């Protein structure tokens, strides 16, 4: 803790520590510190508070503007494909989104696209029952593509305006699983002319630098339109968000703040940056 | 990668017969960076590098090794020693009167339920008669998940109806295990945050009532800087006897393991290397060391 508010070496050390400690990552942290040093000389900044303020500005810039869910403009059905690595919080996030969208007056349907993991279908069906949203599913170990196709048809014939597709967790390093995802994406693209309207990647806030590798690979293989960061009710800060948003140009759209169906909030860049230093 | 970066450093400094402090400082900056990129906790990385520094300065540059290789070998040796630790502490302790109890704890989604099934499979192959216990009464279909895995393996699962209390379920499972002559009981608990007092009290109660022989933290290999705080809180609450690092079949470097080991002394007992019930491997400190160093 500094006695005066002058810009000293220990200020830079403290900033570096708090950024690295928040999982911002060494390369983004280095970039930020260099940028701030440049601004101190360019703008003749005098105090630690000014540097802190500048840091928050830089962080907000990396995140980009806040961006909400993108709905279909052409077809009457909006399709949201939810993807991410194992255990990140996809299924729970889908339940939360479905609840929120139903509350907002949408006719939501869910597709149980994880046909592999034990009781994955049961889990989504239980959520569907709780929030009174229909779930389309087939038997465990059936082809996920077939379930998705089924769900697209059901959503269309039922007049649902939002279909959210749950997929099995998959590590981005697994070739066959990423190929399976590409196939699911193609099925949606063929069925709905401008779909999927959202390719949402769910990332656990407690993840370290691997988050960037995950996001890059998912973006590369099928593209991303948004990110949801879950488990921000933990002590983790999700600092990888800056590198992900900046590197891939993909907005963070929602955050998960707990295990209940209401624990989903739209992403607010200002709040997220402020929470980093809380 | 690290060895290339270290070669680069030593190419810029004069070749000497001994490693000077300047050489070592330059090299260790790279090592510290590699560790942080690997998600090793900041303070742990700093402590580690300080320890290596003492061993590296003045070390003779061994005949066939370049200075970079020399530093790297000291770093690797130190890392393997910290991770590998005391002889035998990476093994499961299940000696004593059956049934012995293994309790799995950890954050949400880390892989506990899947790991419980893997452990049961592994122990059965070793001649044990395992009983799986479905003590997660919060997550939708959690009990079904464990039952489904139990069915796949034909390993019995003890569970109770909705509304039952997880602590009582665990207590009751022990009576059931005795009746059924199970030799090891594996408690699958709900994912929980280390800062959730009520949920942490639940696992404290389970531990106090059952005295599990092994209390294992199931931790995701991709966990970032918070690994240290999570592990210390769990350790303080239920005295961890080991950890299992899951999803090691991905490309996460796994630095969390070094952080957890350094701060809590808890040894890695197994690694999860896939989603199937046979995807459990014993822990190899040298493999994890090279992976963390990248
Ligand atoms: N504390 C907290 N827990 C969460 C949050 N989101 C999800 N979880 C929990 O994380 C665990 C995993 O959630 P799931 O929805 O099953 O994750 P998933 O990505 O669908 O998992 P797989 O399908 O197995 O890959 C569950 O215990 C959830 O309750 C969150 O925002 N906060
Ligand atoms: N690739 C891979 N996936 C794993 C491994 N261990 C678990 N998983 C997957 O990770 C996801 C979460 O596993 P669970 O066993 O449900 O995790 P959990 O800790 O019980 O989750 P909660 O009970 O919600 O806290 C599932 O998709 C598992 O198949 C592993 O070693 N490798
Ligand atoms: Mg799921
Ligand atoms: Mg579980």
């Amino acid at each position: 803790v500094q006695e005066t508010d002058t810009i000293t070496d220990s200020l830079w050390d403290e900033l570096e520590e708090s950024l690295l400690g928040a999982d911002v990552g060494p390369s983004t942290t280095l970039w930020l510190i260099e940028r701030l040093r440049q601004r101190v000389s360019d703008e003749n900044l005098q105090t630690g508070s000014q540097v802190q303020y500048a840091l928050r500005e830089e962080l907000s810039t990396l995140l980009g503007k806040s961006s909400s869910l993108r709905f279909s403009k052409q077809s009457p059905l909006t399709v949201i494909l939810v993807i991410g690595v194992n255990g990140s919080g996809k299924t729970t996030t889908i339940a939360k989104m479905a609840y929120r969208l139903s509350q907002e007056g949408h006719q939501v349907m869910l597709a149980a696209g994880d046909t592999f993991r034990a009781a994955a279908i049961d889990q989504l069906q239980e959520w569907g029952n709780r929030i009174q949203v229909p779930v389309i599913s087939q038997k465990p170990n059936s082809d996920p593509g077939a379930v998705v196709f089924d769900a697209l048809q059901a959503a269309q014939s039922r007049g649902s305006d939002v279909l959210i597709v749950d997929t099995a967790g998959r590590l981005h390093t697994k070739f066959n699983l990423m190929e399976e995802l590409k196939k699911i994406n193609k099925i949606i693209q063929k069925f709905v002319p401008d779909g999927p309207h959202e390719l949402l990647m769910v990332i656990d806030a407690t993840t370290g630098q691997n988050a960037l590798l995950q996001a890059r690979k998912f973006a590369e293989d099928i593209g991303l339109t948004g990110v949801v960061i879950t488990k921000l009710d933990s002590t983790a800060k999700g600092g990888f968000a800056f590198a992900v948003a900046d590197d891939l140009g993909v907005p963070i759209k929602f955050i998960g703040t707990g295990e209940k169906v209401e624990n989903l909030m739209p992403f607010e860049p200002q709040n997220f940056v402020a929470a980093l230093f809380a | 990668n690290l060895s290339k970066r270290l070669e680069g450093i030593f190419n810029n400094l004069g070749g000497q017969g001994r490693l000077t402090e300047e050489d070592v400082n330059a090299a260790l900056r790279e090592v510290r960076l590699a560790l942080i990129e690997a998600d090793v906790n900041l303070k742990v990385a700093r402590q580690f590098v300080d320890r290596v520094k003492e061993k590296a300065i003045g070390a003779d540059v061994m005949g066939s090794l370049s200075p970079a290789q020399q530093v790297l070998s000291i770093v690797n040796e130190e890392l393997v020693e910290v991770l590998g630790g005391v002889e035998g502490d990476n093994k499961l302790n299940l000696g004593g009167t059956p049934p012995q109890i293994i309790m799995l704890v950890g954050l949400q989604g880390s892989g506990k339920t899947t790991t419980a099934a893997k452990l049961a499979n592994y122990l059965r192959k070793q001649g044990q008669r395992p009983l799986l216990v479905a003590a997660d009464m919060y997550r939708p279909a959690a009990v079904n998940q464990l039952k489904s895995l139990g069915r796949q393996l034909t390993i019995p699962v003890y569970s109770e109806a909705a509304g039952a209390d997880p602590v009582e379920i665990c207590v009751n499972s022990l009576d059931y295990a005795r009746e059924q002559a199970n030799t090891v009981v594996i408690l699958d608990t709900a994912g929980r945050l280390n800062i959730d007092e009520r949920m942490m009290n639940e696992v404290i109660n389970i531990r106090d009532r059952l005295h599990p022989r092994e209390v294992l933290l199931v931790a995701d290999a991709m966990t970032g800087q918070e690994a240290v705080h999570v592990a210390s809180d769990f350790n303080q609450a239920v005295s961890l006897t080991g950890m299992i690092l899951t999803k090691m079949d991905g490309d996460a470097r796994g630095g969390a393991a070094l952080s957890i080991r350094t701060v809590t002394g808890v040894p890695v007992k197994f690694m999860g290397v896939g989603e199937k019930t046979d995807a459990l491997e014993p822990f190899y400190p040298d493999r994890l060391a090279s992976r963390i160093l990248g």
Side-chain angles (χ1 to χ4, degrees), chain B residues 10-294:
Chain B
F10 285 105
N11 285 337
N12 298 332
L13 306 171
Q16 312 286 333
R18 277 168 184 275
L19 296 174
T20 67
E21 180 157 4
E22 185 189 24
D23 299 341
V24 169
N25 279 339
L28 293 185
R29 266 197 291 281
E30 286 302 325
V31 172
R32 184 170 156 258
L33 179 60
L35 292 177
I36 295 173
E37 285 171 349
D39 295 322
V40 176
N41 179 271
L42 280 194
K43 294 195 178 61
V44 170
R46 194 166 298 146
Q47 279 183 338
F48 179 84
V49 160
D50 288 344
R51 261 204 318 283
V52 169
K53 180 170 173 177
E54 288 174 21
K55 297 192 174 173
I57 294 180
D60 291 312
V61 178
M62 303 295 169
S64 59
L65 294 179
S66 70
Q69 287 172 331
Q70 180 67 357
V71 171
L72 201 50
S73 110
I74 294 172
V75 168
N76 199 60
E77 207 176 275
E78 181 69 16
L79 193 47
V80 170
E81 188 174 329
V82 174
L83 290 172
V86 181
E87 179 59 48
D89 77 345
N90 297 110
K91 305 274 179 299
L92 273 186
N93 296 315
L94 293 175
T97 320
Q100 290 294 331
I101 307 172
I102 300 174
M103 178 174 167
L104 301 183
V105 297
L107 296 177
Q108 290 89 346
S110 62
K112 297 172 293 300
T113 304
T114 312
T115 301
K118 291 177 182 180
L119 269 175
N121 194 13
Y122 169 84
L123 289 169
R124 181 180 50 188
K125 289 183 187 146
Q126 300 219 315
Q128 300 271 4
R129 280 173 49 86
L131 174 70
L132 285 163
V133 179
D136 178 355
M137 297 305 277
Y138 306 93
R139 170 172 153 155
V143 174
N144 280 356
Q145 185 184 2
L146 193 63
K147 279 182 166 173
S148 163
L149 290 167
R151 265 197 306 277
Q152 284 176 33
L153 293 170
T154 45
I155 288 179
V157 177
Y158 179 83
S159 66
E160 294 186 17
D165 168 55
V167 180
E168 296 310 314
I169 293 171
C170 292
V171 172
N172 297 339
S173 76
L174 196 51
D175 296 329
Y176 183 77
R178 290 199 181 100
E179 283 168 29
Q180 301 289 319
N182 293 109
T183 60
V184 61
V185 173
I186 302 168
L187 308 175
D188 177 26
T189 67
R192 71 202 63 227
L193 296 181
N194 49 306
I195 52 171
D196 183 335
E197 197 173 339
R198 196 174 63 82
M199 288 299 277
M200 291 306 283
N201 282 335
E202 179 181 277
V203 281
I204 291 171
N205 288 336
I206 294 173
R207 178 176 175 268
D208 288 349
R209 301 274 300 273
L210 282 128
H211 311 294
R213 195 70 192 284
E214 290 276 1
V215 181
L216 305 176
L217 178 69
V218 177
D220 199 321
M222 62 182 91
T223 311
Q225 293 286 314
E226 279 306 299
V228 158
H229 305 121
V230 172
S232 327
D233 288 351
F234 272 98
N235 195 32
Q236 197 152 26
V238 294
S239 302
L240 302 171
T241 60
M243 69 171 126
I244 300 182
L245 261 196
T246 61
K247 308 176 203 172
M248 286 291 280
D249 45 318
D251 57 2
R253 299 263 291 271
L258 176 62
S259 309
I260 295 173
R261 172 66 164 168
T262 302
V263 170
T264 65
V266 171
V268 179
K269 300 225 171 185
F270 290 100
M271 303 202 308
V273 294
E275 296 196 66
K276 302 223 173 78
T277 48
D278 57 2
L280 191 70
E281 277 182 8
F283 171 62
Y284 300 108
D286 49 347
R287 285 194 206 166
L288 183 59
S290 358
R291 180 172 174 142
I292 289 176
L293 292 175

Side-chain angles (χ1 to χ4, degrees), chain A residues 87 89-92 114 117 120 123 166-169, chain B residues 139:
Chain A
K90 298 176 292 301
T91 305
T92 310
D114 180 356
R117 203 208 68 210
Q123 184 185 6
D166 191 11
T167 62
Chain B
R139 170 172 153 155

Side-chain angles (χ1 to χ4, degrees), chain A residues 85-93 96 114 117 123 167-169 230-233 256-259, chain B residues 108-109 139 193:
Chain A
V85 306
N86 308 70
S88 57
K90 298 176 292 301
T91 305
T92 310
T93 298
K96 293 173 182 177
D114 180 356
R117 203 208 68 210
Q123 184 185 6
T167 62
T230 57
K231 309 179 198 173
L232 275 169
D233 46 321
T257 57
E259 302 191 70
Chain B
Q108 290 89 346
R139 170 172 153 155
L193 296 181

Side-chain angles (χ1 to χ4, degrees), chain A residues 223-240:
Chain A
L224 298 178
T225 60
V227 167
V228 178
I229 300 182
T230 57
K231 309 179 198 173
L232 275 169
D233 46 321
S234 69
T235 52
K237 306 281 185 173
F240 53 77

Side-chain angles (χ1 to χ4, degrees), chain A residues 1-6:
Chain A
V1 176
Q2 301 206 104
E3 288 298 316
T4 67
D5 197 18
T6 52

